Amino acid sequence: MKKISFLAVLLFIGFTAYAQEFTPQVQRFISVNSDLVAITNVTVIDGTGAPAKTNQTVILNKDRIQEIGEASKIKTPANAKIIDGSGKTIIPGLVMLHEHLFYTKPFENWFSVGQMTFTFPRLYLAGGVTTMRTGGSIQPQTDLNVKKWILEGKMTGPKMDVTGPFIEREGPRVPELGFLGNTDEVAKIVNYWADKGVTSFKVYNNITQEDLKVCVAEAHKRGLKVTGHLCSLTYEEASNIGIDNLEHGFMASSDFAEDKQENICDPFAARTGLAKENLNGDNINALIELLIKNKTAITSTPVVFEPYTGHEVVPGGGLDALAPQVRERIQNGYDSRVNRDEQSINLFNKNLKWLKRFHEKGGLLVAGTDPTGAGRTVAGYANQRTVEIFVEAGFSVTEAIKISTYNGALFLKKEKEIGTVEKGKKADLILIDGNLEQNIKNIRKMEIVFKEGVGFDSQKMFKSVKDQVGLN
Ligand SMILES: [Zn+2]
């Protein structure tokens, strides 16, 4: 009897619906959940870098893209839910690789961060991110639970690739980080967290070459990747050791620091070296060549560096998301510093030009936000702003989108499933109310973010966490 009922349940699930189960807390953000969806007469920027195509019809069947092509040639199934895409644009769901479930929470002269378990996953999905890699975690166990509960339909957020706790030596940085006593600990950390389900690792400012060698060896043994926000090691050293990815564009490079001492982080010397290096300098060009040769990917995180030049206080428009007390602090900080850092502006622009060169020469450039810094970088809003910055820096709209979608998927080795809007791939895509090539800021007009064919209401998710960032 027991056996029969178990079988019956299986058959029932198999025949009635694909529809993933969602708790009411998640369901309230879902605006489209039909087995068949047809988005008609829409412009598609597919994430491959190909030019935008107008008058397209996209058919979603359960969690997959079933068909895509000219509206006149694609037959819309009679039982499909039809969404008129006139005047709208579809892009792939964003795949961003320097995300965090924590946010800046300074105290007196300390830099510190606090976990944003609830607001950030929801904001990421609202901002179009359907897959993300966290770029280091302060509560890896929380991040792993969030990942699992999102997959189970109990929380609202993107699919996640969770990075382990920062691998770091003690330095004058963040009290939430764990510090290595010696290199032997690295293998233990990597294997412990890999067993727990972590799929990436991140080394930080003060590690030694030996630490990185062990980290890379242990992670690679398990097919996992290592990225780094460096300072004590140069990009050249780390790339030659075999690191897979470098964070923050060239902004964290100490390669140009004068009298660089091995394994020592001197952020001021690093910054001075970057400022001195010419736009077309021999050193930067040699470094670009080396990174491409070694297949070291670079993550650009421009929003966290967006200087005080009269741009928005929270780039992407997320000021309302902040808890009032946090908003006040950040507004005050902004007001007292605006337009006073010429060097930051120059470096910001130069870094983007170097990254464009790296990209054009064939380097793998991926995107991320890093919602930390001065607290002006807020999940979701910052992801949209990242794409805008690429376009402002001279990348074409189609290239900016490819970097923010396909390239991330390629790095994560998920490019066969996600990263582009193509027949057979997962239905991870965003419906935007507007034309991105007319104005890239239309990317802020996201309507529906489809994750595996289920459509989430972007604006509703954004509104639901108003006044909460910094607290939850
Ligand atoms: Zn970060």
PDB file of all heavy atoms in Angstrom, residues 347-360:
ATOM      1  N   LEU A 347      41.842  57.710 -11.861  1.00  0.00           N
ATOM      2  CA  LEU A 347      42.113  56.274 -11.737  1.00  0.00           C
ATOM      3  C   LEU A 347      40.898  55.461 -12.186  1.00  0.00           C
ATOM      4  O   LEU A 347      41.032  54.423 -12.848  1.00  0.00           O
ATOM      5  CB  LEU A 347      42.470  55.964 -10.280  1.00  0.00           C
ATOM      6  CG  LEU A 347      43.314  54.730 -10.024  1.00  0.00           C
ATOM      7  CD1 LEU A 347      44.548  54.711 -10.912  1.00  0.00           C
ATOM      8  CD2 LEU A 347      43.731  54.692  -8.550  1.00  0.00           C
ATOM      9  N   PHE A 348      39.729  55.930 -11.813  1.00  0.00           N
ATOM     10  CA  PHE A 348      38.477  55.268 -12.199  1.00  0.00           C
ATOM     11  C   PHE A 348      38.399  55.160 -13.728  1.00  0.00           C
ATOM     12  O   PHE A 348      38.138  54.087 -14.280  1.00  0.00           O
ATOM     13  CB  PHE A 348      37.299  56.095 -11.653  1.00  0.00           C
ATOM     14  CG  PHE A 348      35.947  55.535 -11.989  1.00  0.00           C
ATOM     15  CD1 PHE A 348      35.402  54.517 -11.231  1.00  0.00           C
ATOM     16  CD2 PHE A 348      35.207  56.046 -13.054  1.00  0.00           C
ATOM     17  CE1 PHE A 348      34.145  54.005 -11.525  1.00  0.00           C
ATOM     18  CE2 PHE A 348      33.950  55.536 -13.358  1.00  0.00           C
ATOM     19  CZ  PHE A 348      33.414  54.511 -12.584  1.00  0.00           C
ATOM     20  N   ASN A 349      38.666  56.270 -14.401  1.00  0.00           N
ATOM     21  CA  ASN A 349      38.569  56.271 -15.869  1.00  0.00           C
ATOM     22  C   ASN A 349      39.675  55.443 -16.511  1.00  0.00           C
ATOM     23  O   ASN A 349      39.443  54.708 -17.470  1.00  0.00           O
ATOM     24  CB  ASN A 349      38.623  57.718 -16.390  1.00  0.00           C
ATOM     25  CG  ASN A 349      37.375  58.485 -15.993  1.00  0.00           C
ATOM     26  OD1 ASN A 349      36.283  57.914 -15.916  1.00  0.00           O
ATOM     27  ND2 ASN A 349      37.522  59.770 -15.728  1.00  0.00           N
ATOM     28  N   LYS A 350      40.876  55.548 -15.950  1.00  0.00           N
ATOM     29  CA  LYS A 350      42.015  54.820 -16.523  1.00  0.00           C
ATOM     30  C   LYS A 350      41.810  53.310 -16.385  1.00  0.00           C
ATOM     31  O   LYS A 350      42.050  52.550 -17.323  1.00  0.00           O
ATOM     32  CB  LYS A 350      43.299  55.263 -15.815  1.00  0.00           C
ATOM     33  CG  LYS A 350      44.567  54.819 -16.493  1.00  0.00           C
ATOM     34  CD  LYS A 350      45.766  55.654 -16.064  1.00  0.00           C
ATOM     35  CE  LYS A 350      46.164  55.378 -14.628  1.00  0.00           C
ATOM     36  NZ  LYS A 350      47.415  56.093 -14.258  1.00  0.00           N
ATOM     37  N   ASN A 351      41.328  52.900 -15.232  1.00  0.00           N
ATOM     38  CA  ASN A 351      41.071  51.475 -14.983  1.00  0.00           C
ATOM     39  C   ASN A 351      40.096  50.919 -16.026  1.00  0.00           C
ATOM     40  O   ASN A 351      40.305  49.830 -16.570  1.00  0.00           O
ATOM     41  CB  ASN A 351      40.513  51.309 -13.566  1.00  0.00           C
ATOM     42  CG  ASN A 351      40.072  49.887 -13.269  1.00  0.00           C
ATOM     43  OD1 ASN A 351      40.844  48.948 -13.416  1.00  0.00           O
ATOM     44  ND2 ASN A 351      38.827  49.717 -12.856  1.00  0.00           N
ATOM     45  N   LEU A 352      39.045  51.658 -16.302  1.00  0.00           N
ATOM     46  CA  LEU A 352      38.060  51.171 -17.280  1.00  0.00           C
ATOM     47  C   LEU A 352      38.668  51.092 -18.682  1.00  0.00           C
ATOM     48  O   LEU A 352      38.359  50.177 -19.450  1.00  0.00           O
ATOM     49  CB  LEU A 352      36.812  52.068 -17.267  1.00  0.00           C
ATOM     50  CG  LEU A 352      35.868  51.795 -16.081  1.00  0.00           C
ATOM     51  CD1 LEU A 352      34.897  52.943 -15.880  1.00  0.00           C
ATOM     52  CD2 LEU A 352      35.112  50.477 -16.265  1.00  0.00           C
ATOM     53  N   LYS A 353      39.554  52.019 -18.999  1.00  0.00           N
ATOM     54  CA  LYS A 353      40.209  51.976 -20.322  1.00  0.00           C
ATOM     55  C   LYS A 353      41.148  50.768 -20.405  1.00  0.00           C
ATOM     56  O   LYS A 353      41.228  50.092 -21.427  1.00  0.00           O
ATOM     57  CB  LYS A 353      40.972  53.275 -20.587  1.00  0.00           C
ATOM     58  CG  LYS A 353      40.030  54.459 -20.811  1.00  0.00           C
ATOM     59  CD  LYS A 353      40.758  55.659 -21.410  1.00  0.00           C
ATOM     60  CE  LYS A 353      39.765  56.753 -21.784  1.00  0.00           C
ATOM     61  NZ  LYS A 353      39.735  57.852 -20.804  1.00  0.00           N
ATOM     62  N   TRP A 354      41.848  50.488 -19.317  1.00  0.00           N
ATOM     63  CA  TRP A 354      42.735  49.307 -19.295  1.00  0.00           C
ATOM     64  C   TRP A 354      41.907  48.025 -19.441  1.00  0.00           C
ATOM     65  O   TRP A 354      42.294  47.095 -20.157  1.00  0.00           O
ATOM     66  CB  TRP A 354      43.519  49.259 -17.976  1.00  0.00           C
ATOM     67  CG  TRP A 354      44.643  50.260 -17.889  1.00  0.00           C
ATOM     68  CD1 TRP A 354      45.236  50.932 -18.921  1.00  0.00           C
ATOM     69  CD2 TRP A 354      45.317  50.698 -16.693  1.00  0.00           C
ATOM     70  NE1 TRP A 354      46.226  51.756 -18.447  1.00  0.00           N
ATOM     71  CE2 TRP A 354      46.302  51.625 -17.082  1.00  0.00           C
ATOM     72  CE3 TRP A 354      45.189  50.387 -15.346  1.00  0.00           C
ATOM     73  CZ2 TRP A 354      47.156  52.255 -16.172  1.00  0.00           C
ATOM     74  CZ3 TRP A 354      46.037  51.008 -14.428  1.00  0.00           C
ATOM     75  CH2 TRP A 354      47.011  51.936 -14.839  1.00  0.00           C
ATOM     76  N   LEU A 355      40.765  48.005 -18.759  1.00  0.00           N
ATOM     77  CA  LEU A 355      39.915  46.812 -18.835  1.00  0.00           C
ATOM     78  C   LEU A 355      39.346  46.616 -20.236  1.00  0.00           C
ATOM     79  O   LEU A 355      39.203  45.492 -20.713  1.00  0.00           O
ATOM     80  CB  LEU A 355      38.775  46.912 -17.810  1.00  0.00           C
ATOM     81  CG  LEU A 355      39.231  46.780 -16.355  1.00  0.00           C
ATOM     82  CD1 LEU A 355      38.080  47.096 -15.409  1.00  0.00           C
ATOM     83  CD2 LEU A 355      39.777  45.380 -16.076  1.00  0.00           C
ATOM     84  N   LYS A 356      39.039  47.731 -20.886  1.00  0.00           N
ATOM     85  CA  LYS A 356      38.513  47.641 -22.255  1.00  0.00           C
ATOM     86  C   LYS A 356      39.590  47.047 -23.171  1.00  0.00           C
ATOM     87  O   LYS A 356      39.311  46.209 -24.025  1.00  0.00           O
ATOM     88  CB  LYS A 356      38.088  49.037 -22.735  1.00  0.00           C
ATOM     89  CG  LYS A 356      37.276  49.037 -24.008  1.00  0.00           C
ATOM     90  CD  LYS A 356      36.406  50.286 -24.097  1.00  0.00           C
ATOM     91  CE  LYS A 356      35.577  50.281 -25.370  1.00  0.00           C
ATOM     92  NZ  LYS A 356      36.364  50.600 -26.580  1.00  0.00           N
ATOM     93  N   ARG A 357      40.833  47.458 -22.929  1.00  0.00           N
ATOM     94  CA  ARG A 357      41.946  46.915 -23.719  1.00  0.00           C
ATOM     95  C   ARG A 357      42.107  45.415 -23.449  1.00  0.00           C
ATOM     96  O   ARG A 357      42.256  44.611 -24.373  1.00  0.00           O
ATOM     97  CB  ARG A 357      43.239  47.666 -23.362  1.00  0.00           C
ATOM     98  CG  ARG A 357      44.383  47.413 -24.321  1.00  0.00           C
ATOM     99  CD  ARG A 357      45.604  48.242 -23.945  1.00  0.00           C
ATOM    100  NE  ARG A 357      45.306  49.666 -23.867  1.00  0.00           N
ATOM    101  CZ  ARG A 357      46.006  50.545 -23.144  1.00  0.00           C
ATOM    102  NH1 ARG A 357      47.059  50.158 -22.443  1.00  0.00           N
ATOM    103  NH2 ARG A 357      45.681  51.818 -23.114  1.00  0.00           N
ATOM    104  N   PHE A 358      42.057  45.038 -22.184  1.00  0.00           N
ATOM    105  CA  PHE A 358      42.153  43.619 -21.795  1.00  0.00           C
ATOM    106  C   PHE A 358      41.056  42.815 -22.503  1.00  0.00           C
ATOM    107  O   PHE A 358      41.307  41.741 -23.062  1.00  0.00           O
ATOM    108  CB  PHE A 358      42.007  43.540 -20.270  1.00  0.00           C
ATOM    109  CG  PHE A 358      41.878  42.150 -19.698  1.00  0.00           C
ATOM    110  CD1 PHE A 358      42.989  41.328 -19.556  1.00  0.00           C
ATOM    111  CD2 PHE A 358      40.635  41.668 -19.280  1.00  0.00           C
ATOM    112  CE1 PHE A 358      42.860  40.045 -19.008  1.00  0.00           C
ATOM    113  CE2 PHE A 358      40.502  40.394 -18.742  1.00  0.00           C
ATOM    114  CZ  PHE A 358      41.621  39.585 -18.609  1.00  0.00           C
ATOM    115  N   HIS A 359      39.855  43.345 -22.488  1.00  0.00           N
ATOM    116  CA  HIS A 359      38.698  42.683 -23.114  1.00  0.00           C
ATOM    117  C   HIS A 359      38.898  42.577 -24.633  1.00  0.00           C
ATOM    118  O   HIS A 359      38.698  41.522 -25.232  1.00  0.00           O
ATOM    119  CB  HIS A 359      37.447  43.499 -22.771  1.00  0.00           C
ATOM    120  CG  HIS A 359      36.214  43.130 -23.524  1.00  0.00           C
ATOM    121  ND1 HIS A 359      35.537  41.953 -23.291  1.00  0.00           N
ATOM    122  CD2 HIS A 359      35.523  43.771 -24.505  1.00  0.00           C
ATOM    123  CE1 HIS A 359      34.481  41.890 -24.096  1.00  0.00           C
ATOM    124  NE2 HIS A 359      34.459  42.979 -24.844  1.00  0.00           N
ATOM    125  N   GLU A 360      39.313  43.667 -25.243  1.00  0.00           N
ATOM    126  CA  GLU A 360      39.453  43.670 -26.706  1.00  0.00           C
ATOM    127  C   GLU A 360      40.578  42.766 -27.181  1.00  0.00           C
ATOM    128  O   GLU A 360      40.542  42.236 -28.286  1.00  0.00           O
ATOM    129  CB  GLU A 360      39.663  45.110 -27.213  1.00  0.00           C
ATOM    130  CG  GLU A 360      38.349  45.873 -27.251  1.00  0.00           C
ATOM    131  CD  GLU A 360      38.524  47.384 -27.342  1.00  0.00           C
ATOM    132  OE1 GLU A 360      39.682  47.873 -27.359  1.00  0.00           O
ATOM    133  OE2 GLU A 360      37.479  48.075 -27.398  1.00  0.00           O
TER     134      GLU A 360
END
